[in-house]
Amino acid sequence: MAPFHAVKCCQRGLSWIPVIFINLVVCWSYYAYVVELCIFIYLLVFHVFFFMFIWSYWKTIISKPASPSKEFCLPKVDKELYEKEENPEAQQEILKRVARNVFIYTCTGSGAIRYCDRCQLIKPDRCHHCSTCDRCVLKMDHHCPWVNNCVGFSNYKLFVLFLAYSMLYCVYIAATVLQYFIKFWTNHLPDTHAKFHVLFLFFVAAMFFISILSLFSYHLWLVGKNRTTIEAFRAPVFRNGPDKNGFTLGFRKNVTQVFGDQKKCWCLPIYSSLGDGYTFPTRLVNADSEQGNAEHQAIKCTVDGQTNPRPLSESQNHLLGNDMHSEEQKDSSPTNIEVCQPVSITMENES
């Protein structure tokens, strides 16, 4: 066991190398820009971008990824039965019995309950196990070595803002240093050691800006589609099969789910996402809406008429919106609905 723990400690120490590298580059860029270049009119805007970049970066690093609660773990009796049982079908029956007490839509490719043998729990929708962090993470997007942390439900907004402010930080440095970079090549810059800082400052800022721009654009696209990086490569599987558009609610509501419904908080690296990370409003489709051939099948607030043990939060019901309900009422005959009772809202397949 001792060598195993030693290896684990070494891995944890090495995982901080990318973070240390980024911080060293940022410290050097601050020195080169503020001390060596030192143009007062530029420094005011520079420090705004610098502060927001550092704030969002370290918030992403220190934000602990959210994990499933104990209600998704198997009870002691069922856990013992599951471990003793060698028949996969019998194990699935145990998981299905326990899964009746939780709220899940997605399953494996074969239609089985998504279960993590490592964490010994039933995975909520959009939850995945991170081998690096050795834990299941709610709405996991990916593990980022540059922040030495898992990016998921609890810090995805912070990660997107980190990309945004790091990109603005780099492009601002590159734009303001460009004129001195040109003077360097035309031999109009004084021959001091500062000119080498100016040269490398422009190259580093431009290089990071180009690489971050592509990553930032990709994640903006994911936000607009309400997908994670994992879901973009492997579509979530619902009862009617894989569907990469299963969680999309439309561009505006997709953005609101990540950044919150208070626009004044969108640009601040503070948590404001909607929902609880366990349940998500769904719009199940069995065709790609990007190809203009979408057939809306179901939007449910309960599971097969059974009361949802974890009801949709107020923010999640807000995401569904009144416009969705009014559209469905136009296509159905008038019926009496008790407002206080949970309802299952379904839409017939469009032929």
Side-chain angles (χ1 to χ4, degrees):
M1 292 296 294
F4 175 77
H5 288 296
V7 171
K8 274 289 184 181
C9 291
C10 291
Q11 288 178 343
R12 290 174 183 174
L14 292 175
S15 64
W16 283 99
I17 291 179
V19 176
I20 295 174
F21 172 75
I22 291 295
N23 280 275
L24 289 176
V25 172
V26 172
C27 290
W28 168 79
S29 67
Y30 185 88
Y31 166 80
Y33 197 93
V34 175
V35 178
E36 296 295 343
L37 199 58
C38 194
I39 302 174
F40 179 74
I41 194 172
Y42 291 161
L43 293 181
L44 297 178
V45 180
F46 170 83
H47 278 92
V48 173
F49 288 146
F50 177 79
F51 174 76
M52 296 304 294
F53 164 57
I54 294 296
W55 185 11
S56 58
Y57 181 52
W58 276 98
K59 280 284 289 184
T60 308
I61 293 175
I62 64 177
S63 295
K64 186 178 180 180
S67 298
S69 60
K70 292 182 179 179
E71 68 179 294
F72 288 89
C73 297
L74 296 181
K76 185 177 181 180
V77 176
D78 293 314
K79 182 180 176 182
E80 292 176 354
L81 290 175
Y82 181 87
E83 292 176 347
K84 292 178 180 178
E85 187 61 58
E86 297 181 358
N87 187 355
E89 294 181 357
Q91 288 181 332
Q92 275 299 305
E93 290 300 322
I94 297 173
L95 295 179
K96 288 178 181 179
R97 186 174 64 252
V98 178
R100 294 193 184 101
N101 300 321
V102 295
F103 188 65
I104 53 176
Y105 268 123
T106 57
C107 55
T108 65
S110 60
I113 300 294
R114 298 171 64 244
Y115 181 75
C116 179
D117 290 312
R118 182 73 176 177
C119 299
Q120 297 183 332
L121 53 80
I122 296 174
K123 297 180 183 178
D125 292 339
R126 316 184 84 174
C127 174
H128 297 276
H129 184 86
C130 175
S131 58
T132 305
C133 296
D134 195 24
R135 68 170 65 184
C136 284
V137 179
L138 296 180
K139 195 187 176 184
M140 179 178 173
D141 188 88
H142 69 288
H143 184 91
C144 180
W146 301 109
V147 298
N148 191 28
N149 200 0
C150 252
V151 178
F153 174 77
S154 61
N155 60 356
Y156 185 64
K157 174 199 172 185
L158 305 177
F159 177 76
V160 174
L161 289 180
F162 153 61
L163 294 179
Y165 287 120
S166 60
M167 186 181 65
L168 291 174
Y169 179 73
C170 291
V171 72
Y172 181 79
I173 290 178
T176 53
V177 173
L178 178 60
Q179 57 179 317
Y180 302 99
F181 179 76
I182 296 175
K183 289 182 179 180
F184 172 82
W185 288 106
T186 56
N187 295 322
H188 289 92
L189 198 67
D191 190 13
T192 62
H193 71 281
K195 68 179 184 180
F196 295 104
H197 286 285
V198 171
L199 175 65
F200 288 109
L201 191 60
F202 177 82
F203 272 124
V204 172
M207 178 186 66
F208 274 94
F209 168 72
I210 294 173
S211 60
I212 294 173
L213 176 61
S214 59
L215 185 61
F216 177 67
S217 302
Y218 176 68
H219 278 281
L220 283 185
W221 179 80
L222 290 177
V223 170
K225 296 292 184 180
N226 204 338
R227 298 175 195 165
T228 63
T229 300
I230 296 175
E231 293 168 352
F233 287 94
R234 186 174 65 249
V237 181
F238 295 87
R239 296 175 185 175
N240 59 336
D243 189 349
K244 63 181 178 182
N245 293 314
F247 293 106
T248 187
L249 303 172
F251 178 78
R252 180 177 62 84
K253 292 178 182 178
N254 292 342
V255 173
T256 302
Q257 192 175 90
V258 174
F259 288 92
D261 50 9
Q262 296 183 358
K263 294 184 178 180
K264 62 182 180 181
C265 298
W266 282 13
C267 296
L268 298 177
I270 56 176
Y271 177 82
S272 61
S273 301
L274 300 184
D276 55 10
Y278 296 95
T279 57
F280 298 89
T282 61
R283 182 194 296 271
L284 303 185
V285 296
N286 55 7
D288 190 356
S289 61
E290 294 175 349
Q291 298 175 358
N293 187 27
E295 296 182 0
H296 295 265
Q297 283 197 332
I299 302 170
K300 298 186 179 180
C301 295
T302 61
V303 183
D304 298 333
Q306 298 179 0
T307 304
N308 176 15
R310 181 185 289 274
L312 292 179
S313 62
E314 181 180 352
S315 61
Q316 291 170 318
N317 284 321
H318 173 68
L319 280 173
L320 289 174
N322 294 328
D323 54 340
M324 187 180 298
H325 295 279
S326 61
E327 181 180 346
E328 293 164 359
Q329 291 172 358
K330 292 180 182 178
D331 298 333
S332 60
S333 59
T335 57
N336 294 327
I337 299 177
E338 295 181 10
V339 178
C340 296
Q341 297 296 326
V343 297
S344 292
I345 307 170
T346 61
M347 299 181 67
E348 297 294 336
N349 291 343
E350 299 174 0
S351 56

